[in-house]
Amino acid sequence: MENTLNTELLATMIKQKRGKQGLRAISAEMAGVSAATLSRIEQGKIPDVDTFIKICQWLNVTTDTFIIKKSDPIDEGEKSHKEEIFFHLRADKELDKDTVEALIQMVKVAYSKKI
Amino acid sequence: MFERGFKTKAEKLSSEFRTKTGIHVCGVLPAQHLANHLNVGILTLDDLDLDDKIKSRLLGQNGNDSGWSAVILNNCDNKKVIVHNHLHSEARQQSNLMHELAHVICGHTVDDSHVKHLSFLRKYDAQQEEEAGFLGAALQLSRPALLWAVKEKMSDSEIALYFNASVEMVRFRINSTGVRKQIGFKNR
């Protein structure tokens, strides 16, 4: 199973740090992250990599803070060479966690399908 | 910001792919037709053996759009495959597919240089998206096709219906190609 993002913690920490400041004000502090994007992330949507890194830098924490590591019991005790499937996705910039997980499962099935 | 010459090349490619696939430069180029030529498979959720819960999530809940349009990947046989959201309107499906095919034509790859432990997060490449957006639109509505349609005095809605595009796409292409100005200037 893959790692996943603790979106609840991410949203909470952003809200805590910004306090009474508006989203536009903190957006200005994070070059390239719009207020609309921040709003969606505060609602639990998953950001893209670059946005996530900028937020972590603004929060002054490492990216690890929000990673929920999931281990595959089959891999314990041996190195497995999982194939990494690279794919390009056309979608809303921020998606909710369940949709991301569903898309990952869809990609795995499509990868294995013979056509 | 496009690389110098990109837009001209995109317009040229739109006509070339029509010619290569036996379609008139002013004609409708269906995305499936172009995909066959590029040896790219096209699938929908109905073609995949998915868990009901996953399928339901991807189809959208309570009438809401699920938020995804299309995915392109190399499958286990190293063949490029697009899985797209067949619940979108026909015009939007064509736009989604042409956008993904444009990524293929441009030779865009997924950048795997990002931090490994964040590999489950998306890498959004603005430059690639802009290029695929422009080329995808040009593939759907070629410049010669727009010139013909405008000369025929077709309305934006009529052009959209004929070419299986959205009215917004038609207006974007007419503005970015300047075909109305060109015809207006010629008619002075």
Side-chain angles (χ1 to χ4, degrees), chain B residues 38 40 72 80 82 98-108 132 135:
Chain B
L38 295 170
V40 174
I72 185 163
K80 284 201 169 19
I82 298 172
M98 285 301 198
H99 183 99
E100 295 308 315
L101 291 170
H103 277 299
V104 173
I105 295 163
C106 288
H108 292 157
L135 176 56

Side-chain angles (χ1 to χ4, degrees), chain B residues 59-77:
Chain B
L59 289 172
Q61 294 175 333
N62 303 321
N64 293 326
D65 192 322
S66 53
W68 76 285
S69 297
V71 162
I72 185 163
L73 63 140
N74 281 359
N75 76 356
C76 54
D77 295 324

Side-chain angles (χ1 to χ4, degrees), chain A residues 49-50 63 88 90 92 111 114, chain B residues 67 69-70 72 76 122 129:
Chain A
V49 169
D50 292 333
T63 52
H88 179 271
R90 178 164 165 77
D92 293 347
Y111 175 82
K114 297 275 183 184
Chain B
S69 297
I72 185 163
C76 54
R122 292 164 62 192
E129 289 309 311

Side-chain angles (χ1 to χ4, degrees), chain B residues 79-94:
Chain B
K79 181 180 165 103
K80 284 201 169 19
V81 173
I82 298 172
V83 185
H84 74 110
N85 190 337
H86 64 282
L87 290 188
H88 287 164
S89 67
E90 187 55 41
R92 192 168 169 193
Q93 286 182 53
Q94 288 295 306

